[in-house]
């Protein structure tokens, strides 16, 4: 029973394994970079849900414990607290945006390396073997598709993170009145 179940489970991944085989090593690199991208996105989401509430509550309590909140010094302290809060919120978002920008470039790298294979086939076969050329061209385009998909999905994750940052920052700033 378990053998049949494990065989069925592995068979469900056969199309994905086939695509990675056709896309070459650059597609594997894109998958790794995409995994790192989502690691950072999930890290931010985890921070927003676990650590940030404790940090922001401590800062708000520190502000509310002040006797005087209207002087120039108090306003500067408030601005510093808001700045530190925003720095904590935006901590790894630069890395997320950089990885999103990197994904399509890696896809183009895969296309260029795949097109080198196309030119090799053309040189060996004198450009006559159209069927093998089309399979190699499709193999060259798969990394581009993978890079674009990773970037587009990453953009949606980044949009969610940015929206959460905007909301949490506004709430924090409003609490320091």
């Amino acid at each position: 029973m378990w053998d049949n179940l494990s065989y069925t489970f592995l068979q469900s991944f056969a199309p994905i394994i086939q695509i990675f085989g056709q896309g070459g090593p650059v597609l594997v690199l894109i998958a790794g970079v995409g995994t790192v991208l989502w690691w950072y996105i999930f890290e931010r989401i985890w921070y927003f849900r676990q650590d940030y509430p404790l940090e922001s509550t401590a800062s708000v309590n520190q502000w509310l414990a002040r006797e005087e909140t209207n002087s120039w010094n108090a306003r500067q302290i408030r601005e510093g607290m808001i700045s530190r809060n925003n720095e904590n919120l935006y901590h790894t978002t630069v890395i997320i945006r950089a990885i999103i920008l990197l994904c399509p470039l890696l896809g183009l790298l895969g296309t260029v390396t795949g097109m080198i294979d196309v030119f090799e086939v053309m040189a060996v076969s004198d450009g006559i073997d159209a069927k093998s050329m089309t399979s190699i061209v499709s193999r060259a385009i798969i990394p581009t598709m993978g890079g674009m998909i990773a970037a587009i999905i990453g953009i949606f994750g980044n949009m969610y993170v940015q929206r959460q940052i905007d909301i949490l920052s506004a709430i924090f700033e409003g609490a320091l009145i």
Side-chain angles (χ1 to χ4, degrees):
M1 178 185 146
W2 289 108
D3 291 337
N4 190 23
L5 183 64
S6 63
Y7 177 76
T8 305
F9 180 73
L10 290 176
Q11 285 298 99
S12 64
F13 287 105
I16 296 170
I17 294 169
Q18 182 181 9
I19 288 173
F20 275 101
Q22 290 174 344
V26 176
L27 190 60
V28 175
L29 177 64
I30 292 169
V33 168
T35 303
V36 171
L37 169 67
W38 279 96
W39 174 266
Y40 278 111
I41 290 172
F42 286 132
E43 182 274 331
R44 284 289 86 193
I45 293 170
W46 180 266
Y47 173 74
F48 298 154
R49 302 242 166 99
Q50 296 296 320
D51 297 336
Y52 178 75
L54 301 173
E55 291 175 9
S56 64
T57 301
S59 294
V60 168
N61 288 340
Q62 181 183 1
W63 175 256
L64 295 175
R66 291 183 55 86
E67 292 180 14
E68 191 274 315
T69 59
N70 293 325
S71 69
W72 182 85
N73 285 335
R75 286 193 304 271
Q76 295 305 312
I77 291 171
R78 179 180 179 270
E79 291 299 319
M81 293 173 90
I82 291 171
S83 179
R84 276 191 299 281
N85 178 67
N86 287 341
E87 183 180 341
N88 291 338
L89 287 173
Y90 282 101
H91 180 62
T92 57
T93 58
V94 172
I95 296 171
I96 292 170
R97 289 191 305 266
I99 293 173
I100 289 171
L101 291 174
L102 181 65
C103 287
L105 296 176
L106 289 174
L108 289 174
L109 174 67
T111 299
V112 169
T113 57
M115 292 307 290
I116 290 171
D117 293 340
V118 169
F119 294 137
E120 286 178 8
V121 169
M122 286 175 61
V124 170
S125 67
D126 295 328
I128 298 171
D129 192 11
K131 185 172 182 166
S132 64
M133 283 186 2
T134 57
S135 69
I136 294 173
V137 168
S138 68
R139 202 170 67 187
I141 293 174
I142 289 173
T144 302
M145 178 187 64
M148 295 304 289
I149 289 171
I152 290 170
I153 293 172
I155 287 171
F156 288 121
N158 186 48
M159 286 172 42
Y160 176 78
V161 167
Q162 292 297 324
R163 197 170 333 125
Q164 290 299 114
I165 288 172
D166 292 342
I167 291 168
L168 293 172
S169 179
I171 290 170
F172 182 78
E173 194 169 338
L176 297 183
I177 296 178

